[in-house]
Amino acid sequence: MTATPHGQEHLKVLVRRSAIQRRVREMGRQISRDFRGERVHLIGVLKGASIFLSDLIRQIRLEVSLDFMAVSSYGKGSQSSGQVRLTKDLDTSIEGLNVILVEDILDTGLTLHYLCRVLQQRKPRALRIAALLDKPERRVREVKADYVGFQIPNEFVVGYGLDYAERYRNLKDVCILSLPPE
Ligand code: IMP
Ligand code: MG
């Protein structure tokens, strides 16, 4: 384990880049098997899922299309406001498509619960969830992800797309961020 001091904040590697790579490859294979002979439409939840999505899509051996949504659920800090708001909608219709909603982390479940409700109304053929990380202890809303990279403990993590106040998205490993007491 490495600890990288960054002011008063400290990073500790939780999931190494090599483990992420391996797992994302497996997830892509599984999606390719599950939808064999069909087309899938990936929807990334901006911005956190962008890195995961860009790796995952290249591991899927099917006809794939891509769109993005953005929501705001977190403020600048690490605590959820509990409110979800759509800030960017899809560019195209998803009616009749095999949709895979791609998210960085499933935490309280509020975001994915909200997005699934919105997307289900638009009559996709299938709606699945792929989340790189899952913190089951934190769940407030019942949401089941179909493809999960790693279940992790109740810690605030950054890296591989995940941020703290827009920082650390570029880290190659998923790291636990310890913050100084407020
Ligand atoms: P949920 O609505 O509580 O499930 O939260 C989902 C969103 O909260 C994710 O898409 C992340 O943007 C953010 N989030 C939750 N936990 C973490 C974390 O540990 N680090 C960084 N962002 C997080
Ligand atoms: Mg997010």
Side-chain angles (χ1 to χ4, degrees), residues 45-49 71 73-74 77-78 80 84 103-113 133 135 138-139 152 155-159 162-164 169:
V45 184
L46 294 172
K47 302 170 225 172
V71 290
S73 58
Y74 269 62
S78 59
S80 173
V84 186
E103 183 50 313
D104 51 1
I105 187 165
L106 178 50
D107 188 30
T108 63
L110 290 167
T111 306
L112 283 173
H113 184 268
L133 305 172
K135 282 195 236 176
R138 292 258 307 161
R139 206 76 85 250
I152 62 165
E155 302 273 7
F156 193 80
V157 291
V158 294
L162 291 127
D163 75 307
Y164 172 65
R169 293 193 198 274

Side-chain angles (χ1 to χ4, degrees), residues 58-71:
R58 285 175 288 176
Q59 300 298 335
I60 297 176
R61 296 188 198 162
L62 302 170
E63 188 185 329
V64 184
S65 49
L66 182 59
D67 207 342
F68 292 98
M69 286 183 121
V71 290

Side-chain angles (χ1 to χ4, degrees), residues 79-147:
Q79 288 304 302
S80 173
S81 64
Q83 297 225 333
V84 186
R85 196 165 52 90
L86 198 61
T87 56
K88 186 224 170 287
D89 205 340
L90 299 173
D91 289 340
T92 56
S93 163
I94 56 165
E95 191 170 339
L97 299 181
N98 295 314
V99 170
I100 303 177
L101 191 51
V102 181
E103 183 50 313
D104 51 1
I105 187 165
L106 178 50
D107 188 30
T108 63
L110 290 167
T111 306
L112 283 173
H113 184 268
Y114 169 81
L115 287 177
C116 283
R117 197 158 45 87
V118 169
L119 295 180
Q120 205 73 67
Q121 287 165 0
R122 302 181 186 181
K123 303 187 171 57
R125 177 170 173 185
L127 179 59
R128 303 273 186 273
I129 293 175
L132 178 75
L133 305 172
D134 179 15
K135 282 195 236 176
E137 283 173 54
R138 292 258 307 161
R139 206 76 85 250
V140 171
R141 281 287 190 168
E142 163 101 21
V143 175
K144 265 258 160 272
D146 303 277
Y147 308 97

